[in-house]
Every structure is written in C-alpha cells, then in structure tokens.
Amino acid sequence: MKFLKKHWKNILFVLFMLILLLPVTRKPIQVAIHKLIAFSPSVVAEENQEQLSTYNWQLQDTQGELHTFKKSKNRVVLINFWATWCPPCIAEMPDLQALYDDYGKKVDFYFITNDEPERIDAFFAKHAYNLPVYYSASSLPKPLNGYSLPTTYVIDKKGKIVIEKTGTANWNGEKMRNLLDNILK
C-alpha cells in the first residue's frame, strides 16, 4: 500500500502511455484531442490569396467514373484532402458533413483521398457520411497540394484561395458559415 501511495503518479503515467501505445485506444484518444483543439479556420488576407492556375484537373469517383474540375469554374469550392486512418481527418468529418448537408447544392465539395473504395464505404457506413469522394487522376492545379492530411481549401468564384488550412478545424462554426454566405453572394 505504501508503494502505491508513493508512486501513484508514476503508475498513472505508465498506464496512460500504455493506452496511447495500443492502436485500439490510441486512435479514439487522438480524435478526441483533435476535436477539442479545433478552431474556425482563418481567412487568408486578400493580398496573400493565391489564384488557381487552372481548372484542368481530372478526378475519379469511388465507382471509377471520371469527372472534371472544370465544372467548378466560377463556383465556390471546398476541397479536403483526407484519409480514413488519419485522426485529425476523422475529427473534422462530422463538421464537414454538417456543412455539406447545408451547402452541398450551393458549394462544390471535393473530398480527395488515396484510400481503397471498400475502406471508404465501410468508414462512411459506420459514421453515416455521404460526402462526394474522389481520387486525383491528374496533376493538382497549382498552388494546391495534398501532402499533409488533412488539408482543406476554400476557393471563391474568381478562383482565389480564401482559406488554406492544414490540420483539424471547426468547419461548421458561425465564422465559416458567414464566410460561405458572403462569398456565395
């Protein structure tokens, strides 16, 4: 009993570390932490907003059908690079789904991944998501890149990147909805 009283902090620390080492418990803890630290994404200052170089981008959906990004020219666009195994991606998916539910007819949404279709289907079924998922079938338009997950871009009707966010964000907050309402006008 003396041992426990004297070393209880160390024992708790070791238990916590063990929990973080186990994949079964690590991922839910990471997702929860990312949800706690998610803030609304910042708008890029107007003088720093980059312009899309082209709308020539081929995409393939999970059924293998080809699509072109050209259909999104002169439209507001949200592009999210994500993966089913990525805790920060998982943490922001409920917000992105809520945003898609409300803005899916006004904003073009693209969820870009490299995961296998079966894995995406299982993930979406488990969480009741119905987001439009694509694979990049050609080079990304500059200045987009999907090297860090998650990375999300919001592009206005003129092709300017008004939000470029790497990492988890609160995509369903009032600030984001106000931004979308303003750039949709």
Side-chain angles (χ1 to χ4, degrees):
M1 195 62 162
K2 269 186 173 180
F3 178 81
L4 287 176
K5 280 185 177 181
K6 186 175 181 183
H7 299 286
W8 70 271
K9 289 179 184 176
N10 292 335
I11 293 169
L12 283 177
F13 178 75
V14 169
L15 284 173
F16 182 72
M17 294 307 292
L18 285 173
I19 288 171
L20 285 179
L21 289 174
L22 298 171
V24 168
T25 54
R26 177 181 53 233
K27 195 173 191 180
I29 290 170
Q30 288 175 321
V31 169
I33 290 169
H34 282 283
K35 283 182 182 182
L36 285 174
I37 62 172
F39 296 100
S40 292
S42 299
V43 175
V44 177
E46 197 166 334
E47 63 273 6
N48 296 329
Q49 291 177 359
E50 295 186 76
Q51 184 83 31
L52 278 184
S53 61
T54 181
Y55 281 80
N56 272 341
W57 184 21
Q58 295 295 312
L59 302 158
Q60 184 177 6
D61 64 26
T62 56
Q63 280 71 48
E65 301 221 9
L66 286 176
H67 300 266
T68 179
F69 187 61
K70 285 182 184 177
K71 76 176 187 117
S72 293
K73 191 168 186 159
N74 302 316
R75 296 195 36 90
V76 175
V77 178
L78 185 144
I79 301 169
N80 177 267
F81 293 91
W82 71 286
T84 59
W85 50 263
C86 165
C89 302
I90 296 166
E92 67 181 11
M93 277 293 165
D95 286 346
L96 289 165
Q97 179 65 57
L99 203 63
Y100 176 74
D101 290 344
D102 293 342
Y103 287 89
K105 292 189 181 354
K106 302 177 216 168
V107 174
D108 290 351
F109 285 81
Y110 296 88
F111 292 86
I112 312 300
T113 189
N114 286 326
D115 282 342
E116 301 82 23
E118 303 79 31
R119 194 171 185 159
I120 295 165
D121 292 342
F123 179 78
F124 275 29
K126 179 179 178 183
H127 299 286
Y129 296 145
N130 65 334
L131 303 166
V133 176
Y134 299 94
Y135 302 99
S136 184
S138 67
S139 298
L140 301 175
K142 295 207 181 323
L144 302 182
N145 74 63
Y147 301 120
S148 296
L149 298 179
T151 297
T152 305
Y153 297 92
V154 176
I155 302 164
D156 71 9
K157 292 177 182 181
K158 296 175 189 167
K160 288 192 173 191
I161 298 172
V162 294
I163 291 179
E164 178 179 352
K165 172 68 174 139
T166 300
T168 307
N170 175 5
W171 294 103
N172 194 31
E174 185 178 338
K175 184 177 173 184
M176 182 62 192
R177 288 174 172 272
N178 288 339
L179 171 73
L180 287 179
D181 292 339
N182 286 334
I183 63 176
L184 282 165
K185 291 179 185 175

